[in-house]
Amino acid sequence: MNRHLTNAFRVLPAAAVLAAGAALAPAAHASPHAPAHARPAGAVQLAAGPYERGPAPTEASVTAEKGPFAVEKIDVPAGSGAGFNKGAIYAPTDLSQGTFGALAVSPGFVSPQALIDWYGPRLATQGFVVMTLETNSLLDVPAARGDQLLAALDYLTGKSSVKNRIDASRLAVMGHSMGGGGTLEAVRKRTSLKAAVPLAPWDTNYDWKSVRTPTMIMGADNDFIAPADSMAHSYYEGLTGVPEKAYLELENAGHMTFNSPNTTIAKYAISWMKRFVDDDARYERFLCPAPRPGGAIAAYEGTCPTG
């Protein structure tokens, strides 16, 4: 058994204990953020690119708790679609700018949907249709979570009540811990996906050379469940076939940091999704030149997309 697999199995029991505790604990409160960057009433947005949605981004808009789009939440009961359990959809209600890209988000090992549900409104108000998942089993391995992410995307585009709001050619995946591993498994299986953001990913698989989707992997410097050096960063280095990639390591953060609203996580996840799902070069300024370590960022590497 190689060093990576040994480390993976060594930390798994701790992952189960801490994730279970996090599921029972109240959600942490984030520090106040700047108000959303609102679009003037009645204004018509003339996009330079066909998939640009919303006003030009600013530091305030990408770090705000809410973006410019009003959204509705739609519960997805168990049995609504094949291949996944249940979940919640967050969808923009303003269709005046056209259809939106869509993404599915998976929680981690023994973690309920509630722990990753904050990504729903955070991303949807920026102009995406987002589905957060309750996995089939709390014990599902990364490969199973990857299949469920793909099944959720198929449901969104084929059967959901918001399918007419979605551009089925612009889809993405995201997930935490084993859901992050599932994110990598999903893009390995479906190379047509436009973007992926694995968060503190955990997987015993280290072979990602067949992935073709632009991928931003996030890790945490104090993560001993999915150690950044042996997992998140190793996975990043293994993405040898992607057109673009980035690695962001959070400063003074642990494995469960990703389960609570966080400005840095949101800023870069939004920017990555906007850049590659919406092909929106206006968000490139947040990715290139590469952010320098400091403050909330312990390390950052990337191919620095240039459009």
Side-chain angles (χ1 to χ4, degrees), residues 234-254:
S234 290
Y235 302 155
Y236 167 79
E237 291 184 321
L239 293 169
T240 57
V242 295
E244 304 285 356
K245 64 178 181 176
Y247 172 73
L248 186 156
E249 186 172 307
L250 297 176
E251 179 84 29
N252 295 323

Side-chain angles (χ1 to χ4, degrees), residues 11 15 106-109 119 142 174-184 197-203 216-233 235 247-250 253-259 265:
V11 299
S106 171
F109 188 64
Y119 293 101
M174 185 172 178
H176 173 239
S177 192
M178 283 197 184
T183 298
L184 288 165
V197 180
L199 307 166
W202 192 104
D203 202 331
M216 171 179 275
I217 297 181
M218 297 191 195
D221 62 348
N222 291 330
D223 189 342
F224 66 89
I225 294 173
D229 60 344
S230 62
M231 289 193 166
H233 192 260
Y235 302 155
Y247 172 73
L248 186 156
E249 186 172 307
L250 297 176
H255 193 68
M256 299 304 170
T257 298
F258 298 91
N259 287 332
I265 296 169

Side-chain angles (χ1 to χ4, degrees), residues 3-13 202-204 206 225 231 235:
R3 175 176 60 85
H4 294 313
L5 292 178
T6 301
N7 287 339
F9 286 115
R10 176 171 52 80
V11 299
L12 182 57
W202 192 104
D203 202 331
T204 57
Y206 282 79
I225 294 173
M231 289 193 166
Y235 302 155

Side-chain angles (χ1 to χ4, degrees), residues 129-189:
V129 175
V130 183
M131 183 170 175
T132 57
L133 293 179
E134 191 82 68
T135 51
N136 288 331
S137 163
L138 293 176
L139 307 180
D140 286 337
V141 297
R145 292 168 192 265
D147 288 342
Q148 290 168 54
L149 284 168
L150 296 178
L153 292 177
D154 292 341
Y155 169 77
L156 280 172
T157 58
K159 189 177 178 182
S160 76
S161 62
V162 298
K163 63 182 181 182
N164 292 334
R165 305 183 204 180
I166 298 171
D167 179 348
S169 70
R170 297 189 292 115
L171 305 177
V173 284
M174 185 172 178
H176 173 239
S177 192
M178 283 197 184
T183 298
L184 288 165
E185 298 282 358
V187 290
R188 185 175 64 160
K189 180 172 288 189

Side-chain angles (χ1 to χ4, degrees), residues 83-108:
F84 66 91
N85 183 2
K86 59 182 180 179
I89 296 171
Y90 294 87
T93 55
D94 178 7
L95 300 182
S96 65
Q97 297 180 49
T99 53
F100 300 94
L103 56 136
V105 188
S106 171

